[in-house]
Amino acid sequence: MTGPQLMYVTEDGRVEFFPEAAIAYEALIEHTVTCAQCNADQSKCVPGTALRRALRAARR
């Protein structure tokens, strides 16, 4: 794999998020579920945009 990653494979074969990515992903999902703007047009939701930026920043 190349490029930044959000997840990794553990020694026992499980796939997990890096801690920073897990926090950002959970916040984005929680926001998106209840945000009408995100569900209609993601580009118009300022908080959603900030959360997507945080998720991109959490990539390793």
Side-chain angles (χ1 to χ4, degrees):
M1 276 188 215
T2 61
Q5 302 298 313
L6 294 174
M7 297 177 257
Y8 64 99
V9 178
T10 63
E11 290 181 8
D12 61 355
R14 292 179 292 127
V15 177
E16 294 187 2
F17 278 102
F18 287 109
E20 303 84 9
I23 293 167
Y25 183 76
E26 288 173 20
L28 179 59
I29 293 300
E30 186 176 311
H31 171 78
T32 304
V33 167
T34 59
C35 179
Q37 272 187 321
C38 275
N39 291 309
D41 183 1
Q42 291 183 350
S43 66
K44 293 184 179 180
C45 179
V46 174
T49 300
L51 290 168
R52 282 186 289 285
R53 267 193 216 115
L55 183 59
R56 282 193 301 273
R59 293 177 188 240
R60 293 181 176 212

